[in-house]
């Protein structure tokens, strides 16, 4: 039985781009890319719904820190992403969504969303919209806190951002890593939040851990 569809909109800053993506040269820390499934260029044969057996929770603990079960639902696990007052990503233009979250109760949080779009082009636009929104607005101020985004790795069908907080010019040690991968008309988003020491080696290690954490899910995208 498939998961119920949920609707979405991506910001309209993304018209079809014939001149190339201005973020193509961004490479951040130079991480090796996630091993992506080979993209099928033949006509899509999607069933239209996300199968309940899709392993969206692969690698996550079975229970949260409070003992409640970690379960896949028909709601997005990843929150909407806004940059400079505009919506960079949400679930309003999707045809189906599944999500899962994990919270260990002591600061570590992880969230995942699998979003299906009407076709490959719509998913591509959604990824490009998110990518350009972050590049175009790396810092957003909410109250007295700056939300600082940095694109640290990029490939045609994948992008990785870090998200940190700054107050009074001081960056916090809190770090959120966002991994986004497109396969056909599917978009997979995963966030991981934890505390570290804020150093470059620590950030690099947390980005690598986030990539590894999503590896099984990314591998399964080709089987949708």
């Amino acid at each position: 039985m498939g998961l119920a569809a949920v609707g979405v909109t991506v910001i309209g800053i993304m018209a079809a781009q014939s001149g190339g993506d201005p973020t193509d040269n961004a490479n951040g820390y130079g991480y090796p890319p996630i091993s992506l499934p080979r993209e099928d260029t033949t006509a899509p044969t999607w069933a239209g719904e996300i199968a309940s057996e899709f392993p969206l929770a692969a690698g996550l603990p079975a229970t949260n820190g409070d003992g409640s079960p970690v379960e896949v639902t028909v709601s997005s696990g990843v929150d909407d992403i806004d940059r400079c007052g505009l919506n960079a990503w949400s679930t309003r233009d999707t045809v189906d969504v599944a999500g899962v979250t994990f919270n260990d109760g002591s600061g570590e949080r992880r969230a995942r969303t699998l979003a299906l779009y009407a076709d490959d082009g719509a998913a591509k636009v959604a990824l490009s919209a998110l990518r350009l929104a972050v590049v175009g607005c790396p810092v957003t101020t909410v109250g007295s806190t700056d939300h600082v985004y940095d694109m640290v790795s990029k490939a045609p069908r994948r992008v990785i951002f870090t998200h940190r907080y700054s107050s009074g010019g001081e960056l916090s040690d809190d770090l959120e890593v966002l991994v986004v991968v497109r396969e056909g008309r599917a978009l997979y988003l995963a966030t991981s939040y934890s505390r570290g020491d804020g150093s470059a080696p620590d950030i690099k290690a947390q980005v690598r851990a986030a990539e590894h954490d999503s590896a099984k899910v990314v591998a399964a995208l080709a089987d949708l």
Side-chain angles (χ1 to χ4, degrees):
M1 197 101 183
L3 296 171
V6 177
V8 225
T9 268
V10 184
I11 65 176
I13 61 173
M14 313 314 312
Q17 299 170 9
S18 58
D21 188 333
T23 67
D24 277 346
N25 294 323
N27 194 28
Y29 295 102
Y31 300 107
I34 295 173
S35 180
L36 295 176
R38 184 179 296 276
E39 187 168 22
D40 187 358
T41 57
T42 60
T45 56
W46 297 80
E49 291 185 335
I50 301 169
S52 58
E53 61 268 20
F54 183 83
L56 189 59
L60 294 180
T63 58
N64 294 293
D66 62 2
S68 61
V70 172
E71 297 179 321
V72 176
T73 73
V74 296
S75 299
S76 177
V78 175
D79 293 335
D80 291 359
I81 301 171
D82 296 320
R83 306 302 300 143
C84 292
L86 296 174
N87 179 238
W89 181 84
S90 71
T91 57
R92 275 182 309 186
D93 282 338
T94 56
V95 297
D96 200 9
V97 169
V100 63
T101 61
F102 165 75
N103 189 331
D104 75 349
S106 63
E108 179 187 351
R109 301 191 298 273
R110 284 181 268 175
R112 296 173 181 175
T113 292
L114 178 61
L116 290 188
Y117 291 82
D119 52 40
D120 294 15
K124 185 176 182 179
V125 166
L127 175 58
S128 295
L130 175 57
R131 179 184 291 154
L132 287 184
V134 172
V135 170
C137 180
V139 180
T140 293
T141 302
V142 179
S144 60
T145 301
D146 290 336
H147 292 250
V148 182
Y149 280 74
D150 183 27
M151 183 165 65
V152 297
S153 185
K154 175 181 172 293
R157 292 185 286 132
R158 181 217 65 212
V159 65
I160 302 175
F161 301 108
T162 59
H163 172 206
R164 301 176 72 187
Y165 304 94
S166 175
S167 183
E170 293 283 335
L171 280 169
S172 73
D173 293 336
D174 297 348
L175 179 71
E176 181 180 41
V177 179
L178 172 62
V179 176
V180 187
V181 177
R182 182 183 72 84
E183 172 65 21
R185 66 171 183 144
L187 198 66
Y188 168 68
L189 302 94
T191 63
S192 59
Y193 177 89
S194 59
R195 292 187 63 86
D197 60 22
S199 67
D202 180 68
I203 293 172
K204 185 173 183 177
Q206 290 197 51
V207 170
R208 289 188 182 278
E211 287 190 283
H212 182 268
D213 188 56
S214 288
K216 290 183 179 179
V217 182
V218 171
L221 292 176
D223 298 327
L224 281 169

